[in-house]
Amino acid sequence: MQGCDVGTRLRHWLTLVSGMLECLCFAGVVFGYASLVFVLKDDGYFSDLCVSDPSDNNSSLPGTADCLSQDEQFSLVFTIASFLNNFLSLVNGYLFDQFGTWLTRLLGISLYTSGTLLVAFSSAALSVMLFPALSCIAVGGILLLMTNMQVGNLFSAHRSTIITLYNGAFDSSSGVFLIIKVLYEQGVSLRSSFLVLSLCSIIHTVRTFLLMPRTHIPYPLPECYTYGMDCGKANTYNVEQVERDAAKTNSQESSGQENTTQAPERGESGKETGFRSCVFSWFFLCHLLWLSIMQLRHYLFIGTLNPMLTRLADNDPSLVSQYTNAFAMTQLCGVLCAPWNGLILDRHKGKPRAAGESEQEADLRSSCLSLFLTSLQCLLFSLCASIPVLPLQYITFILQVLNRSFLYGGNAAFISIAFPACHFGKLYGLVMSLSAVVSLLQYPCFSLVKGPLRGDPFYVDVFLTVLTLLVFIHPIYVYIYCKKQAFNRENNSHTAGNPD
């Protein structure tokens, strides 16, 4: 171990830092869409849909209240992109589990580059190119994030912290579109900015072969584990051997224990039944409800932010720009907020566990607080977003980025805690795909606001706020489960210590 310790640790840290920069600068840029919309409107995208009012010389200008059809198209672009971002995660998860990191990343890089090139060569006359462009950027970005989250396995004591850190960096990357907006206001064209993003794919490709494994990073990590192009043989052997050993261990631990649908790991140990037991467990179903409702709230807020600010600012473009910049600036703080959730999840690491308590049970017990805080943040965020007071939106922005950082980092961390590692990619993809179906409700909600509600989203916001109360089911269920497990251990130990 000593002979390979220095080189191994250096490679691990290079992978960690470069992965964080990749997520921070590229992976989640699509969620800075509100900043990009400001630029696209100024360039005249979908401006042919604006209705001219002969009595108002400014009514046909982009960004005015008479461009409802234009706003609908921009909202539809984001709806489709965010839907595919999650829905295709099911396919991506199977691809990642089946074919490994290199192939998955190459697919993600290809999609990402295609998307940025489509934006670069689009124009107001070719506004329809935004639909495939933003979708490719979204799907390519989530593939980069998915392959990077396994880096947490390199640092077992801080595994959840690193997973949440990467998800926070993913959220903060939405600030890239703010940078593009600022550069645009300084005279840098949209095409130039996106061509630079396209060229950066060379860096992603080099990192794929030098600082990422061919297959997967195993957990727990074997001694002197290496990876990358120059050590592919050792990597392949280690991963396969660790997966075989982990399967044997799981089989031995599950034998003799009670079969239940509550804890997926305690079901039958076969591969197919193991995955089915995970999907049909209460853990998965509660987690899916938890993620879907909060994600819908965030997507609707982001997709309708520009028209909402336009309405509250009385069509003042400078005021809309000011609040759009403020929103984008708060998104940059996602990478600072996310590790707090990781520290909450990892706070028990290194401390003695209760007698008879497994590591997975300790991790679940620690996750209760994280799940509850995330649910509470979403409720407060939804309440503030429902109040039509423009200055209050600064607080809404802060709560939104805090909750979003906790949400996606906690989502990935909980799946890694509650379910077997061999199913992580498939379960992560499945929960994201199913939640994407729910997120499609954002477009009919937007149409309802723009149509029958005449631009006033108050009733939709109230409904979503009430709906948010359902997310508290998840932390309550996990808490009850952990209490039940502790009670059973105590009874078993008492029975063993006092035989008849």
Side-chain angles (χ1 to χ4, degrees), residues 200-224:
C200 288
S201 295
I202 298 174
I203 301 175
H204 305 325
T205 305
V206 172
R207 180 175 178 270
T208 297
F209 294 110
L210 296 184
L211 291 175
M212 295 298 287
R214 183 189 298 274
T215 54
H216 306 93
I217 299 176
Y219 183 81
L221 205 66
E223 292 186 358
C224 296

mmCIF file of all heavy atoms in Angstrom, residues 200-224:
data_model
loop_
_atom_site.group_PDB
_atom_site.id
_atom_site.type_symbol
_atom_site.label_atom_id
_atom_site.label_comp_id
_atom_site.label_asym_id
_atom_site.label_seq_id
_atom_site.Cartn_x
_atom_site.Cartn_y
_atom_site.Cartn_z
ATOM 1 N N CYS A 200 -14.484 23.322 -25.543
ATOM 2 C CA CYS A 200 -14.114 22.761 -24.245
ATOM 3 C C CYS A 200 -14.386 21.263 -24.156
ATOM 4 O O CYS A 200 -13.900 20.596 -23.227
ATOM 5 C CB CYS A 200 -14.868 23.478 -23.127
ATOM 6 S SG CYS A 200 -14.295 25.163 -22.819
ATOM 7 N N SER A 201 -15.123 20.721 -25.109
ATOM 8 C CA SER A 201 -15.373 19.281 -25.116
ATOM 9 C C SER A 201 -14.083 18.491 -25.300
ATOM 10 O O SER A 201 -14.019 17.311 -24.947
ATOM 11 C CB SER A 201 -16.369 18.922 -26.220
ATOM 12 O OG SER A 201 -17.637 19.492 -25.953
ATOM 13 N N ILE A 202 -13.070 19.126 -25.855
ATOM 14 C CA ILE A 202 -11.762 18.467 -25.972
ATOM 15 C C ILE A 202 -11.229 18.137 -24.579
ATOM 16 O O ILE A 202 -10.676 17.051 -24.340
ATOM 17 C CB ILE A 202 -10.776 19.375 -26.733
ATOM 18 C CG1 ILE A 202 -11.276 19.635 -28.158
ATOM 19 C CG2 ILE A 202 -9.384 18.752 -26.757
ATOM 20 C CD1 ILE A 202 -10.444 20.639 -28.930
ATOM 21 N N ILE A 203 -11.407 19.061 -23.632
ATOM 22 C CA ILE A 203 -10.956 18.842 -22.258
ATOM 23 C C ILE A 203 -11.717 17.677 -21.631
ATOM 24 O O ILE A 203 -11.138 16.820 -20.946
ATOM 25 C CB ILE A 203 -11.138 20.114 -21.422
ATOM 26 C CG1 ILE A 203 -10.349 21.275 -22.039
ATOM 27 C CG2 ILE A 203 -10.711 19.886 -19.977
ATOM 28 C CD1 ILE A 203 -10.575 22.607 -21.349
ATOM 29 N N HIS A 204 -13.041 17.616 -21.856
ATOM 30 C CA HIS A 204 -13.845 16.522 -21.303
ATOM 31 C C HIS A 204 -13.369 15.170 -21.837
ATOM 32 O O HIS A 204 -13.309 14.189 -21.088
ATOM 33 C CB HIS A 204 -15.321 16.707 -21.679
ATOM 34 C CG HIS A 204 -15.894 18.034 -21.285
ATOM 35 N ND1 HIS A 204 -15.518 18.684 -20.129
ATOM 36 C CD2 HIS A 204 -16.808 18.829 -21.895
ATOM 37 C CE1 HIS A 204 -16.182 19.827 -20.051
ATOM 38 N NE2 HIS A 204 -16.968 19.932 -21.102
ATOM 39 N N THR A 205 -13.029 15.135 -23.120
ATOM 40 C CA THR A 205 -12.590 13.868 -23.726
ATOM 41 C C THR A 205 -11.257 13.419 -23.151
ATOM 42 O O THR A 205 -11.077 12.231 -22.816
ATOM 43 C CB THR A 205 -12.476 14.027 -25.250
ATOM 44 O OG1 THR A 205 -13.724 14.497 -25.785
ATOM 45 C CG2 THR A 205 -12.118 12.708 -25.908
ATOM 46 N N VAL A 206 -10.312 14.343 -23.012
ATOM 47 C CA VAL A 206 -9.005 13.998 -22.437
ATOM 48 C C VAL A 206 -9.168 13.501 -21.003
ATOM 49 O O VAL A 206 -8.565 12.498 -20.598
ATOM 50 C CB VAL A 206 -8.064 15.223 -22.488
ATOM 51 C CG1 VAL A 206 -6.776 14.944 -21.712
ATOM 52 C CG2 VAL A 206 -7.740 15.586 -23.934
ATOM 53 N N ARG A 207 -10.009 14.176 -20.227
ATOM 54 C CA ARG A 207 -10.228 13.766 -18.839
ATOM 55 C C ARG A 207 -10.864 12.380 -18.766
ATOM 56 O O ARG A 207 -10.573 11.607 -17.845
ATOM 57 C CB ARG A 207 -11.119 14.787 -18.139
ATOM 58 C CG ARG A 207 -11.410 14.436 -16.691
ATOM 59 C CD ARG A 207 -12.202 15.518 -15.977
ATOM 60 N NE ARG A 207 -12.472 15.087 -14.611
ATOM 61 C CZ ARG A 207 -13.553 14.404 -14.241
ATOM 62 N NH1 ARG A 207 -14.474 14.114 -15.136
ATOM 63 N NH2 ARG A 207 -13.714 14.032 -12.991
ATOM 64 N N THR A 208 -11.722 12.064 -19.725
ATOM 65 C CA THR A 208 -12.382 10.758 -19.733
ATOM 66 C C THR A 208 -11.374 9.623 -19.731
ATOM 67 O O THR A 208 -11.501 8.653 -18.969
ATOM 68 C CB THR A 208 -13.294 10.643 -20.970
ATOM 69 O OG1 THR A 208 -14.324 11.617 -20.890
ATOM 70 C CG2 THR A 208 -13.915 9.253 -21.068
ATOM 71 N N PHE A 209 -10.345 9.732 -20.565
ATOM 72 C CA PHE A 209 -9.389 8.636 -20.714
ATOM 73 C C PHE A 209 -8.261 8.674 -19.681
ATOM 74 O O PHE A 209 -7.670 7.630 -19.381
ATOM 75 C CB PHE A 209 -8.804 8.657 -22.129
ATOM 76 C CG PHE A 209 -9.816 8.361 -23.192
ATOM 77 C CD1 PHE A 209 -10.237 9.349 -24.065
ATOM 78 C CD2 PHE A 209 -10.369 7.093 -23.312
ATOM 79 C CE1 PHE A 209 -11.183 9.081 -25.049
ATOM 80 C CE2 PHE A 209 -11.321 6.819 -24.285
ATOM 81 C CZ PHE A 209 -11.730 7.803 -25.152
ATOM 82 N N LEU A 210 -7.947 9.838 -19.134
ATOM 83 C CA LEU A 210 -6.827 9.931 -18.202
ATOM 84 C C LEU A 210 -7.234 9.873 -16.741
ATOM 85 O O LEU A 210 -6.480 9.353 -15.905
ATOM 86 C CB LEU A 210 -6.046 11.233 -18.461
ATOM 87 C CG LEU A 210 -5.369 11.359 -19.822
ATOM 88 C CD1 LEU A 210 -4.562 12.658 -19.888
ATOM 89 C CD2 LEU A 210 -4.468 10.161 -20.107
ATOM 90 N N LEU A 211 -8.426 10.399 -16.404
ATOM 91 C CA LEU A 211 -8.785 10.522 -14.999
ATOM 92 C C LEU A 211 -10.113 9.864 -14.640
ATOM 93 O O LEU A 211 -10.673 10.155 -13.577
ATOM 94 C CB LEU A 211 -8.836 12.012 -14.611
ATOM 95 C CG LEU A 211 -7.502 12.740 -14.574
ATOM 96 C CD1 LEU A 211 -7.702 14.221 -14.299
ATOM 97 C CD2 LEU A 211 -6.571 12.126 -13.535
ATOM 98 N N MET A 212 -10.626 9.002 -15.505
ATOM 99 C CA MET A 212 -11.858 8.287 -15.215
ATOM 100 C C MET A 212 -11.666 6.805 -15.505
ATOM 101 O O MET A 212 -10.868 6.437 -16.375
ATOM 102 C CB MET A 212 -13.030 8.840 -16.037
ATOM 103 C CG MET A 212 -13.412 10.281 -15.713
ATOM 104 S SD MET A 212 -13.982 10.539 -14.018
ATOM 105 C CE MET A 212 -15.597 9.773 -14.069
ATOM 106 N N PRO A 213 -12.389 5.933 -14.788
ATOM 107 C CA PRO A 213 -12.243 4.485 -15.024
ATOM 108 C C PRO A 213 -12.941 4.054 -16.308
ATOM 109 O O PRO A 213 -13.871 4.705 -16.765
ATOM 110 C CB PRO A 213 -12.929 3.875 -13.795
ATOM 111 C CG PRO A 213 -13.982 4.877 -13.439
ATOM 112 C CD PRO A 213 -13.362 6.222 -13.720
ATOM 113 N N ARG A 214 -12.473 2.927 -16.846
ATOM 114 C CA ARG A 214 -13.124 2.393 -18.031
ATOM 115 C C ARG A 214 -14.537 1.909 -17.692
ATOM 116 O O ARG A 214 -15.473 2.093 -18.460
ATOM 117 C CB ARG A 214 -12.311 1.229 -18.609
ATOM 118 C CG ARG A 214 -12.879 0.650 -19.904
ATOM 119 C CD ARG A 214 -12.140 -0.621 -20.287
ATOM 120 N NE ARG A 214 -10.746 -0.362 -20.547
ATOM 121 C CZ ARG A 214 -10.238 0.029 -21.727
ATOM 122 N NH1 ARG A 214 -11.056 0.198 -22.753
ATOM 123 N NH2 ARG A 214 -8.944 0.247 -21.877
ATOM 124 N N THR A 215 -14.683 1.265 -16.531
ATOM 125 C CA THR A 215 -15.991 0.731 -16.130
ATOM 126 C C THR A 215 -16.581 1.575 -15.002
ATOM 127 O O THR A 215 -17.243 2.557 -15.248
ATOM 128 C CB THR A 215 -15.854 -0.738 -15.709
ATOM 129 O OG1 THR A 215 -14.839 -0.862 -14.692
ATOM 130 C CG2 THR A 215 -15.481 -1.604 -16.890
ATOM 131 N N HIS A 216 -16.347 1.177 -13.755
ATOM 132 C CA HIS A 216 -16.893 1.901 -12.609
ATOM 133 C C HIS A 216 -15.861 1.943 -11.489
ATOM 134 O O HIS A 216 -14.954 1.110 -11.441
ATOM 135 C CB HIS A 216 -18.167 1.234 -12.074
ATOM 136 C CG HIS A 216 -19.230 1.004 -13.088
ATOM 137 N ND1 HIS A 216 -19.354 -0.165 -13.794
ATOM 138 C CD2 HIS A 216 -20.213 1.818 -13.544
ATOM 139 C CE1 HIS A 216 -20.366 -0.085 -14.629
ATOM 140 N NE2 HIS A 216 -20.907 1.106 -14.512
ATOM 141 N N ILE A 217 -16.025 2.894 -10.604
ATOM 142 C CA ILE A 217 -15.217 2.942 -9.387
ATOM 143 C C ILE A 217 -15.912 2.088 -8.334
ATOM 144 O O ILE A 217 -17.057 2.378 -7.968
ATOM 145 C CB ILE A 217 -15.045 4.384 -8.875
ATOM 146 C CG1 ILE A 217 -14.331 5.238 -9.931
ATOM 147 C CG2 ILE A 217 -14.278 4.404 -7.563
ATOM 148 C CD1 ILE A 217 -14.209 6.702 -9.560
ATOM 149 N N PRO A 218 -15.274 1.035 -7.849
ATOM 150 C CA PRO A 218 -15.951 0.129 -6.910
ATOM 151 C C PRO A 218 -16.086 0.737 -5.524
ATOM 152 O O PRO A 218 -15.385 1.685 -5.165
ATOM 153 C CB PRO A 218 -15.011 -1.088 -6.875
ATOM 154 C CG PRO A 218 -13.663 -0.517 -7.187
ATOM 155 C CD PRO A 218 -13.898 0.613 -8.157
ATOM 156 N N TYR A 219 -17.027 0.181 -4.766
ATOM 157 C CA TYR A 219 -17.211 0.577 -3.364
ATOM 158 C C TYR A 219 -17.563 -0.656 -2.549
ATOM 159 O O TYR A 219 -18.497 -1.368 -2.901
ATOM 160 C CB TYR A 219 -18.310 1.627 -3.235
ATOM 161 C CG TYR A 219 -18.493 2.125 -1.815
ATOM 162 C CD1 TYR A 219 -17.651 3.102 -1.306
ATOM 163 C CD2 TYR A 219 -19.486 1.599 -0.989
ATOM 164 C CE1 TYR A 219 -17.799 3.555 0.000
ATOM 165 C CE2 TYR A 219 -19.642 2.053 0.313
ATOM 166 C CZ TYR A 219 -18.792 3.029 0.799
ATOM 167 O OH TYR A 219 -18.934 3.476 2.095
ATOM 168 N N PRO A 220 -16.800 -0.962 -1.491
ATOM 169 C CA PRO A 220 -15.641 -0.236 -0.977
ATOM 170 C C PRO A 220 -14.433 -0.347 -1.898
ATOM 171 O O PRO A 220 -14.351 -1.275 -2.703
ATOM 172 C CB PRO A 220 -15.385 -0.916 0.373
ATOM 173 C CG PRO A 220 -15.934 -2.284 0.208
ATOM 174 C CD PRO A 220 -17.136 -2.144 -0.668
ATOM 175 N N LEU A 221 -13.516 0.562 -1.756
ATOM 176 C CA LEU A 221 -12.383 0.669 -2.662
ATOM 177 C C LEU A 221 -11.283 -0.319 -2.273
ATOM 178 O O LEU A 221 -10.880 -0.371 -1.115
ATOM 179 C CB LEU A 221 -11.842 2.101 -2.617
ATOM 180 C CG LEU A 221 -11.078 2.606 -3.841
ATOM 181 C CD1 LEU A 221 -12.000 2.699 -5.039
ATOM 182 C CD2 LEU A 221 -10.465 3.964 -3.544
ATOM 183 N N PRO A 222 -10.788 -1.123 -3.221
ATOM 184 C CA PRO A 222 -9.671 -2.029 -2.914
ATOM 185 C C PRO A 222 -8.358 -1.262 -2.764
ATOM 186 O O PRO A 222 -8.254 -0.106 -3.199
ATOM 187 C CB PRO A 222 -9.632 -2.948 -4.125
ATOM 188 C CG PRO A 222 -10.237 -2.152 -5.233
ATOM 189 C CD PRO A 222 -11.275 -1.269 -4.592
ATOM 190 N N GLU A 223 -7.381 -1.899 -2.178
ATOM 191 C CA GLU A 223 -6.085 -1.251 -1.974
ATOM 192 C C GLU A 223 -5.403 -0.999 -3.319
ATOM 193 O O GLU A 223 -5.489 -1.797 -4.243
ATOM 194 C CB GLU A 223 -5.182 -2.123 -1.099
ATOM 195 C CG GLU A 223 -5.644 -2.240 0.345
ATOM 196 C CD GLU A 223 -4.649 -2.986 1.208
ATOM 197 O OE1 GLU A 223 -3.622 -3.437 0.642
ATOM 198 O OE2 GLU A 223 -4.891 -3.124 2.411
ATOM 199 N N CYS A 224 -4.707 0.121 -3.391
ATOM 200 C CA CYS A 224 -3.931 0.508 -4.579
ATOM 201 C C CYS A 224 -4.786 0.510 -5.849
ATOM 202 O O CYS A 224 -4.308 0.196 -6.934
ATOM 203 C CB CYS A 224 -2.728 -0.406 -4.765
ATOM 204 S SG CYS A 224 -1.517 -0.290 -3.432
#
